């Protein structure tokens, strides 16, 4: 009898993990669509850059100060939609700037396709192999500090080559975070699908904007 006791526990953990994974991808799909919709509304209303920036700041504030208090309740889902919707509004003016270029629609479509390919390939790899990428946590944190520090520095320097390097670095770090975050869900390190959704959404959002930036630089 003692040899049979671990199996119910193992089965329960597997079921819980699958539930978190399923809820995460369902909520992620809905928030991505909602964010895209709000970006479209932002372009239609011609939201100014200042207002878009404020919306992005409010979205960050929601994640930092509000979500931790409600992530275990139904209000957490409402906060996630508010967060992703505000980021969508903040993205509107930038998309409008790119779409106004002669080949802007092609660049936006390429960035969207590239982002989707990166996410599906990396998450699919983790889901298939079930490898544990938790060892990457420290490296990714250092990478985040370096790229965002370089981004802030380049606000004052305005060096195109550094801007390109920052965007490439963000894509690499966010790709690593997709591996890390998906691995945490599969291996039971993340049990809250609201938090998991926000993490994956931010990874996708940053990859998309960085790819768009790189395409814009390459196209001069």
């Amino acid at each position: 009898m003692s040899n049979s006791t671990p199996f119910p526990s193992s089965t329960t953990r597997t079921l819980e993990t699958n539930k978190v994974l399923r809820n995460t991808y369902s909520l992620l799909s809905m928030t991505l669509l909602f964010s895209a919709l709000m970006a479209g509304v932002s372009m239609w209303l011609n939201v100014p850059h200042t207002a878009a920036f404020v919306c992005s700041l409010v979205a960050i504030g929601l994640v930092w100060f509000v979500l931790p208090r409600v992530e275990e309740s139904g209000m957490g889902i409402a906060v996630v939609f508010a967060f992703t919707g505000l980021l969508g509004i903040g993205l509107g003016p930038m998309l409008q700037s790119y779409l106004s270029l002669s080949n802007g629609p092609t660049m936006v479509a390429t960035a969207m396709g590239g982002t989707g390919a990166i996410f599906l390939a990396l998450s699919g790899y983790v889901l298939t192999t079930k490898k544990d990428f938790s060892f990457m946590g420290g490296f990714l944190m250092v990478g985040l500090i370096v790229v965002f520090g370089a981004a802030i520095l380049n606000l004052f320097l305005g060096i195109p080559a550094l801007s390109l390097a920052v965007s490439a670095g963000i894509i690499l770090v966010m790709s690593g975070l997709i591996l890390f975050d998906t691995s945490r869900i599969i291996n039971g390190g993340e049990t809250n699908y609201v938090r998991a959704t926000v993490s994956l959404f931010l990874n996708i959002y940053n990859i998309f904007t960085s790819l768009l930036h790189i395409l814009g630089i390459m196209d001069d």
Side-chain angles (χ1 to χ4, degrees), residues 83 106 125 218:
F83 162 71
T106 301
Y125 176 75
M218 292 175 64

Side-chain angles (χ1 to χ4, degrees), residues 79-112:
V79 172
V80 172
F81 273 99
F83 162 71
T84 55
L86 287 169
L87 282 185
I89 294 173
L91 193 60
M94 186 180 77
L95 288 176
Q96 196 167 32
S97 297
Y98 277 97
L99 290 172
S100 65
L101 302 175
S102 58
N103 62 337
T106 301
M107 283 195 291
V108 173
T110 302
M112 289 178 63

Side-chain angles (χ1 to χ4, degrees), residues 66-77 192-195:
V66 180
L67 187 62
R69 301 174 182 273
V70 297
E71 61 188 13
E72 299 292 344
S73 66
M75 273 299 296
I77 297 176
N192 185 291
Y193 70 92
V194 170
R195 283 196 305 262

Side-chain angles (χ1 to χ4, degrees), residues 106-124:
T106 301
M107 283 195 291
V108 173
T110 302
M112 289 178 63
T115 302
I118 291 171
F119 176 74
L120 291 175
L122 294 176
S123 59

Side-chain angles (χ1 to χ4, degrees), residues 4 6 12 20 31 44-45 67 79 86 133 156 183-184 193 202:
S4 63
T12 301
V20 173
T31 51
W44 180 62
L45 294 175
L67 187 62
V79 172
L86 287 169
F133 287 93
F156 302 97
S183 170
R184 275 174 50 81
Y193 70 92
L202 282 172

